[in-house]
Amino acid sequence: MSLGVGKSFVIDLSRDTKDVLVADPKIANVVLRSAQRAYIIGAAVGQTNVVFFDAAGQPIVAYDIAVKRDLNGVRAALKQALPAAYIQIDGVGDGVILTGIAATPLEAQQANDIAARLTGGADKVVNSITVRGRDQVMLKVTVAEVSREIVKQLGVDLSTSLSSGTSVVSLTNANPFTAYGKNLVDGNNVSLSAGGTTATLRAMEKAGVVRTLAEPTLTAISGEAATFISGGEFPVPAGYSCDPTTHVCTTQISFKKFGMSLSFTPVVLAEGRISLHLTTEVSDLSNENSITLSQAVSDTTTNSLTVPSIKTRRAESTLEIPSGGSMAIAGLIQDQTKRAVNGLPGLMQVPLLGALFRSQDFVNNQTELVVLVTPYLVRAVSPRELSRPDDGFVAASDPQANLIGNISRIYGRTGPAGGHHGDIGFITD
């Protein structure tokens, strides 16, 4: 028989009682209201037994009494906080044990926290809740960027020589393009010479656009971390080592990583909401801010090596999104404009003619970047229901390549076996 502390139980006996034996009166008390009715009252947490005897000294009935803590309030709190979970709580000594089934690890942890708060501490709670199944989360990240660059350069270089007898006076006016830092094209300029004076017109305009798109997708169990990397390494000179005997120097090489990486840790919360801690990065090689290294291999020969820079887009965040919902975790709009005028002081300000003594360049860079994330709760499906990127791909035969110019051909089904039409891949909830 189980009783709560301060709770009672009524017993009706089959015949008159003469004597009662209580093994430990500190645990439970017995009150006889009549010869055939008794009340058993729980006094303290513990175990004891009670035996009833008749007038002949023969035992009428015996009870093993387990006095436990009153957990009705805790049961009501668990039912109210987690109505969808099937969780039971029972007393063991001065502690409690949680059993049953929870839908997610979060529900199991919430039940443990409620029991610990209402029973006097986490050390008095034994959590034996079984999680029905750990959810799996598929995360789709989209990194999209568009960059535009416009460069305009216009300048005139003058070179003239004046001679008088044996004296020669030379004047050269070459104005650099400081906004862009270099000429768009060296050579192929328009030159005009007359009377010992040469005027070189340097005019060039450049417009370019770059589109970058990366869409990594990664799946992980709730509460576990997952990482996906797609990229490579490129060599970078790290110094020189010379042999003191042969005096031959060798370039030391180190490698730098670039490419796309995604790392995230999902935690499935209640009602299909997903907490994410993620880090994503997209990097590629760029000629911007690159450096050129030169090494003399002989008195007349010099080797040059251009080391590119790495352009990186990185985002790290912690957020909460419902399954199937999307959120922009990072965005960038950058508009940079440079304009510079260089020329001969005084003469460059002369109207009209001043254009012969100056150069000007204009640089405009525009960048727009956005990082989108979309998590899904997913479950596995049959391999026959999945599609691979190489489904339907067949390399062209030699006659097709030589006569028609094909390098590949597509044939067969456009989806999984069985003629399925519609979305293909993970089943999302």
Side-chain angles (χ1 to χ4, degrees), residues 66-402:
V67 180
K68 304 177 181 179
R69 304 179 61 173
D70 185 8
L71 302 176
N72 290 332
V74 183
R75 291 189 181 96
L78 290 174
K79 187 63 176 178
Q80 182 179 5
L82 305 170
Y86 179 73
I87 298 176
Q88 296 178 331
I89 181 170
D90 294 302
V92 177
D94 60 346
V96 297
I97 181 171
L98 296 174
T99 58
I101 301 175
T104 64
L106 179 63
E107 286 189 353
Q109 184 61 41
Q110 287 178 338
N112 186 89
D113 295 341
I114 293 174
R117 184 66 179 269
L118 299 180
T119 57
D123 57 336
K124 297 183 179 298
V125 179
V126 178
N127 192 342
S128 297
I129 299 175
T130 302
V131 179
R132 185 179 298 116
R134 301 186 69 180
D135 293 313
Q136 299 183 96
V137 178
M138 180 181 70
L139 179 65
K140 178 182 178 182
V141 178
T142 300
V143 181
E145 179 186 24
V146 175
S147 299
R148 304 175 185 88
E149 181 184 41
I150 298 175
V151 181
K152 297 179 182 180
Q153 293 181 342
L154 177 62
V156 177
D157 293 343
L158 293 178
S159 176
T160 184
S161 296
L162 301 176
S163 60
S164 176
T166 59
S167 301
V168 178
V169 178
S170 298
L171 173 63
T172 300
N173 180 34
N175 302 310
F177 297 112
T178 57
Y180 190 62
K182 60 180 180 180
N183 297 345
L184 287 177
V185 177
D186 293 330
N188 298 326
N189 298 315
V190 179
S191 299
L192 178 64
S193 299
T197 300
T198 300
T200 302
L201 176 65
R202 296 177 298 159
M204 187 62 65
E205 180 176 345
K206 182 180 76 170
V209 61
V210 177
R211 176 178 181 264
T212 303
L213 178 65
E215 290 187 318
T217 300
L218 190 59
T219 303
I221 296 176
S222 175
E224 300 294 336
T227 301
F228 174 69
I229 298 176
S230 176
E233 299 180 346
F234 71 98
V236 176
Y240 300 95
S241 62
C242 299
D243 190 330
T245 303
T246 61
H247 302 287
V248 175
C249 296
T250 304
T251 303
Q252 302 296 319
I253 299 296
S254 63
F255 291 87
K256 301 295 183 180
K257 296 181 179 180
F258 70 97
M260 188 281 305
S261 66
L262 170 63
S263 176
F264 84 110
T265 303
V267 176
V268 179
L269 307 176
E271 299 179 357
R273 300 190 65 84
I274 302 171
S275 175
L276 297 173
H277 177 77
L278 66 94
T279 302
T280 183
E281 177 179 314
V282 177
S283 59
D284 51 23
L285 301 182
S286 174
N287 290 326
E288 297 180 8
N289 303 319
S290 61
I291 60 174
T292 300
L293 304 177
S294 299
Q295 180 183 13
V297 296
S298 66
D299 294 338
T300 59
T301 305
T302 301
N303 289 341
S304 297
L305 175 64
T306 300
V307 180
S309 61
I310 300 180
K311 186 177 182 182
T312 303
R313 290 76 103 197
R314 181 186 299 112
E316 181 176 359
S317 180
T318 300
L319 61 157
E320 183 179 324
I321 315 178
S323 177
S326 296
M327 183 176 293
I329 66 168
L332 170 67
I333 296 178
Q334 181 177 353
D335 191 344
Q336 183 183 56
T337 301
K338 298 180 183 178
R339 184 184 292 273
V341 178
N342 298 276
L344 194 63
L347 294 179
M348 62 180 291
Q349 280 84 25
V350 176
L352 299 180
L353 294 179
L356 300 176
F357 301 94
R358 66 173 179 258
S359 67
Q360 58 180 339
D361 54 334
F362 170 80
V363 180
N364 179 242
N365 291 316
Q366 295 178 334
T367 300
E368 186 170 355
L369 169 70
V370 65
V371 180
L372 306 175
V373 295
T374 305
Y376 298 94
L377 291 175
V378 297
R379 58 185 176 89
V381 298
S382 171
R384 294 178 298 177
E385 300 180 26
L386 300 178
S387 177
R388 303 199 315 261
D390 61 340
D391 285 344
F393 173 83
V394 176
S397 62
D398 290 341
Q400 290 173 326
N402 296 330

